[in-house]
């Protein structure tokens, strides 16, 4: 079966004036236009191609890889808007359409929007939606406390930053747990810190508790090396100064410093910490 909106590994079947036809194991065919045909090839060679519908709504293959595939989320740039909706640059010749009804906020040319790519059941076309929450659910969680998860930054709120968790769930990073600048569309790793009533996910960046000491300790050592073996920070330093320099909380800083001191890698003096 040739899957629309996904990467397919297909075999070269025959050559025509318009390109080469590729075939799957069930003998379903799709055209790879001349502009994407390799300079040299042999019949029955295998190619990895992305398949979507062309301007005449026919399946067509391309060796160009899009910025987003079926079922995925990505930050895309709006290139134009017409009477029916917006068109987004997703790295292919034919742009990805986002109808007005699927826009959380009215899209404007040159704007960047976090969208989900899905298959419109009526037209069988790939389309985009910036109403991302309707493609997410926390009803049945596939994660548990302390799991490492993949995150996509979704949108800010008064209490923190909303994130998409493993492309399936919604989560929240509280403001007091954010120690670096986050932007919508950023992809990063996190940890499920807590699951609250209603399957609400509290997320933190990095790792939790003493599992967080090692990476934080490594960060402190690197800063010490980059600053001639000295940092003007102590357990009495302002939390904001620690956050600005090391992108970690004062609590995690003190844990990491304690670990480094115990391992005799640093000296702690009234004016700061020194690399041994």
């Amino acid at each position: 079966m040739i899957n629309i909106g996904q990467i397919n590994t297909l075999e070269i079947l025959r050559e025509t004036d318009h390109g080469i036809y590729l075939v799957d194991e069930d003998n379903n065919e799709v055209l790879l236009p001349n502009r994407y045909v390799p300079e040299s090839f042999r019949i029955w060679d295998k190619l990895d191609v992305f398949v979507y519908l062309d301007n005449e709504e026919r399946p067509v293959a391309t060796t160009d890889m899009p910025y987003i595939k079926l079922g995925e989320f990505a930050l895309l740039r709006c290139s134009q808007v017409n009477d029916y909706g917006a068109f987004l640059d997703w790295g292919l010749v034919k742009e990805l359409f986002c109808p007005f009804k699927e826009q959380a906020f009215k899209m404007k040319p040159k704007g960047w929007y976090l969208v989900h790519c899905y298959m419109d059941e009526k037209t069988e076309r790939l389309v985009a939606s910036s109403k991302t929450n309707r493609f997410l659910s926390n009803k049945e969680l596939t994660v548990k406390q302390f799991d490492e998860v993949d995150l996509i930054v979704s949108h800010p709120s008064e209490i923190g930053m909303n994130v998409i968790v493993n492309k399936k769930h919604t989560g929240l990073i509280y403001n007091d747990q954010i120690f670096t600048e986050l932007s919508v569309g950023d992809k990063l790793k996190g940890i499920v810190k807590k699951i609250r009533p209603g399957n609400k996910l509290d997320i933190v960046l990095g790792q939790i508790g003493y599992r967080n000491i090692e990476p934080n300790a490594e960060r402190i050592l690197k800063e010490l090396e980059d600053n001639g073996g000295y940092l003007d920070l102590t357990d009495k330093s302002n939390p904001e100064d620690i956050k600005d320099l090391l992108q970690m909380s004062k609590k995690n800083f003190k844990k990491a410093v304690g670990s480094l001191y115990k391992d005799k890698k640093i000296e702690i003096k009234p004016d700061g910490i020194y690399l041994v």
Side-chain angles (χ1 to χ4, degrees), residues 206-264:
Q207 294 180 306
I208 295 175
Y210 284 94
R211 282 181 282 181
N212 203 18
I213 290 177
E214 185 177 353
N216 283 339
E218 290 178 358
R219 179 183 290 274
I220 292 172
L221 286 176
K222 185 178 184 304
E223 287 295 329
L224 281 165
E225 291 170 356
D226 292 344
N227 288 276
Y230 169 73
L231 286 180
D232 182 20
L233 293 174
T234 68
D235 59 359
K236 297 180 181 179
S237 294
N238 189 305
E240 288 300 316
D241 293 337
I242 296 172
K243 177 181 175 181
D244 290 342
L245 181 62
L246 299 171
Q247 291 79 54
M248 68 180 69
S249 67
K250 184 172 182 177
K251 180 179 178 181
N252 286 336
F253 167 75
K254 292 172 70 174
K255 285 182 180 180
V257 166
S259 174
L260 291 171
Y261 181 75
K262 183 178 179 181
D263 292 339
K264 299 181 179 180

Side-chain angles (χ1 to χ4, degrees), residues 99-115:
F100 286 125
K101 67 177 182 178
E102 290 297 336
Q103 298 178 22
F105 302 96
K106 189 175 180 180
M107 293 182 175
K108 298 179 181 179
K110 300 183 180 181
W112 290 84
Y113 303 92
L114 181 67
V115 299

